[in-house]
Amino acid sequence: MTEFATRLVHGPKQDQDFYGAVAVPIYKATTYAYPEIGQPVKYDYGRSGNPTRCALEDQLARLEGAAGAFAFSSGMAAIHAALALLKAGDYLIVGKQIYGGTFRLLRQFFGRWGLTVTAVDTRDLAAVEAAIRPNTRAIYFEPVTNPLLEVTPIAPLAKLAHRHGLLTIVDNTFLSPYLAQPLRWGADLVVHSATKYLAGHSELSAGVVAARTPALARRVYFIQNALGAGLSPEGANELARGLKTLALQLDRQLANLDAVRRFLASQPAVQRIYYPTKLAANPELRGGGGVLSLELADGAQALAFVNRLQLFTRAVSLGAVESLVELPSKMSHAELSPAEQEAAGIKPGLIRLAIGIEDEHDLVADLAQALDYCQASRKGA
Ligand SMILES: Cc1ncc(COP(=O)(O)O)c(C=O)c1O
């Protein structure tokens, strides 16, 4: 088997050679001819299967070490499909810090269909085990959380889940298969907002579900076809293009993040940095991802600091070529009440940076000028 970076550039061989085209063409047709009715055909209808999307899905499966992978029109569509494996009366244990949209889907949508859910700190195996009930069917978590970047090891949780006959579902958005491959550590399903690292350019909404076993893959395929939220051929083409440079992009983001982190750590005005620790001792993670959060010593200056940045764009999302900055309390996590934010450890002054691929010196200079500005305005005040 080739190395990961090579597999990003070269997807698995398809049974068509597409006239030797070096990139899989975009097949826009929504219906496909039967050479002879009665004989099996690979494709008959676009929702059920499309050559552009299927080539991408083969590649995603290989990157995640999955029996099958399926591309969707957004991360939420992918998460919906994965959770649709459960049924009325099932009980689900989720990580305390999972993406807010996933909570909304579980509570306000699946709740109506009879699915119940409890949120637990998944770093605490005893707490997870204590939450298991006779009707618990799955554990769903993010191995690196947003925005506090807390790490839950995958293998011990997957082992616990299997001991109790539960599915382990991992949202791997914050890492991508370049930094972690949860199926190799015992997870059953991986979901992604491919809108982030996998597409990588803030121009495409997409999602992925990857399944460890052929039986699970068949069930996810059934849902993809039944619900009809599969990724368009144009989207599949864009996602395939993003994948080719995933390793290059993340290597640069990690190097930039390191420079930014070292700079911030040297600044007395920065009180705390949130980023995964003990990475060298963690065999599951090749890196901690391109997001870090911080608090200023004077939390009241967070807004002025963020508004002063020139190069970091004030926007939610992450994993793309451009560096972004946001205030979780006012943007990504604004749906939480102040009390819920406090319980989640999200202070009003918490700042989240999503690092891009710009020159590291420019990123550091931008942060430095914003810190200087805050310092000067404090002195002036
Ligand atoms: C961890 C995580 N999972 C899922 C999603 C949802 O993905 P999408 O916005 O592509 O629907 C997001 C979006 O920010 C996310 O951060």
Side-chain angles (χ1 to χ4, degrees):
M1 177 110 90
T2 49
E3 294 298 324
F4 188 88
T6 306
R7 278 179 271 142
L8 287 172
V9 180
H10 301 281
K13 205 168 161 37
Q14 299 297 298
D15 53 12
Q16 284 274 329
D17 89 340
F18 305 119
Y19 296 103
V22 297
V24 177
I26 301 174
Y27 278 78
K28 293 185 67 151
T30 53
T31 190
Y32 294 80
Y34 285 66
E36 201 179 315
I37 291 175
Q39 295 302 313
V41 287
K42 179 155 185 192
Y43 298 107
D44 68 342
Y45 189 58
R47 167 165 44 75
S48 311
N50 168 282
T52 315
R53 192 179 78 214
C54 288
L56 166 74
E57 292 175 335
D58 283 354
Q59 184 176 18
L60 288 164
R62 206 158 66 133
L63 296 173
E64 288 285 1
F70 304 91
F72 291 84
S73 58
S74 70
M76 288 320 302
I79 292 168
H80 177 209
L83 294 174
L85 290 171
L86 303 174
K87 62 180 187 329
D90 285 354
Y91 183 71
L92 179 68
I93 296 173
V94 301
K96 258 205 157 97
Q97 309 276 348
I98 59 168
Y99 176 60
T102 309
F103 262 126
R104 181 174 53 204
L105 178 72
L106 283 165
R107 294 242 156 86
Q108 295 176 37
F109 178 83
F110 279 111
R112 286 193 284 116
W113 297 85
L115 195 71
T116 45
V117 56
T118 189
V120 173
D121 182 346
T122 46
R123 293 170 303 172
D124 182 348
L125 279 181
V128 174
E129 190 152 30
I132 296 174
R133 296 182 189 170
N135 61 340
T136 305
R137 291 289 171 266
I139 299 178
Y140 180 107
F141 68 103
E142 297 173 13
V144 171
T145 62
N146 173 28
L148 298 179
L149 293 310
E150 291 169 353
V151 176
T152 289
I154 300 160
L157 209 50
K159 223 179 189 169
L160 172 73
H162 287 164
R163 218 170 52 237
H164 289 270
L166 315 178
L167 282 178
T168 309
I169 309 173
V170 176
D171 182 335
N172 201 26
T173 300
F174 264 58
L175 293 164
S176 91
Y178 184 50
L179 301 184
Q181 293 161 18
L183 302 181
R184 299 189 195 282
W185 299 97
D188 299 297
L189 289 167
V190 160
V191 295
H192 282 282
S193 167
T195 312
K196 312 294 182 333
Y197 291 106
L198 300 184
H201 292 74
S202 303
E203 287 189 320
L204 174 72
S205 275
V208 175
V209 181
R212 190 163 57 84
T213 65
L216 271 174
R218 279 194 294 276
R219 292 176 63 197
V220 176
Y221 171 70
F222 171 83
I223 292 166
Q224 185 194 43
N225 186 38
L227 292 177
L231 186 59
S232 70
E234 294 85 351
N237 166 265
E238 261 188 69
L239 184 49
R241 190 168 351 132
L243 277 182
K244 288 180 209 281
T245 51
L246 175 70
L248 275 179
Q249 183 169 319
L250 254 163
D251 283 343
R252 176 62 169 253
Q253 285 165 328
L254 293 180
N256 280 354
L257 186 139
D258 211 40
V260 163
R261 190 156 62 125
R262 275 186 280 112
F263 167 73
L264 292 173
S266 73
Q267 298 300 302
V270 175
Q271 177 166 290
R272 183 155 179 201
I273 296 171
Y274 296 84
Y275 193 69
T277 54
K278 303 194 194 97
L279 283 168
N282 187 339
E284 296 181 353
L285 305 188
R286 185 187 185 131
V291 173
L292 75 73
S293 295
L294 66 133
E295 283 160 5
L296 299 178
D298 179 359
Q301 288 206 309
L303 196 58
F305 172 76
V306 164
N307 282 335
R308 183 72 184 181
L309 289 167
Q310 311 282 318
L311 200 51
F312 283 82
T313 303
R314 285 168 285 280
V316 296
S317 204
L318 62 131
V321 288
E322 61 279 323
S323 292
L324 306 177
V325 61
E326 66 127 354
L327 282 181
S329 63
K330 292 196 185 308
M331 294 165 73
S332 61
H333 293 66
E335 265 189 44
L336 301 182
S337 69
E340 287 170 326
Q341 289 186 359
E342 198 183 328
I346 300 168
K347 298 193 180 141
L350 185 75
I351 298 160
R352 191 187 81 178
L353 302 178
I355 304 295
I357 63 168
E358 301 91 340
D359 188 288
E360 66 179 56
H361 300 99
D362 290 329
L363 294 178
V364 168
D366 193 27
L367 295 165
Q369 65 79 23
L371 284 177
D372 287 349
Y373 170 80
C374 289
Q375 181 125 13
S377 55
R378 268 187 86 185
K379 277 195 188 132

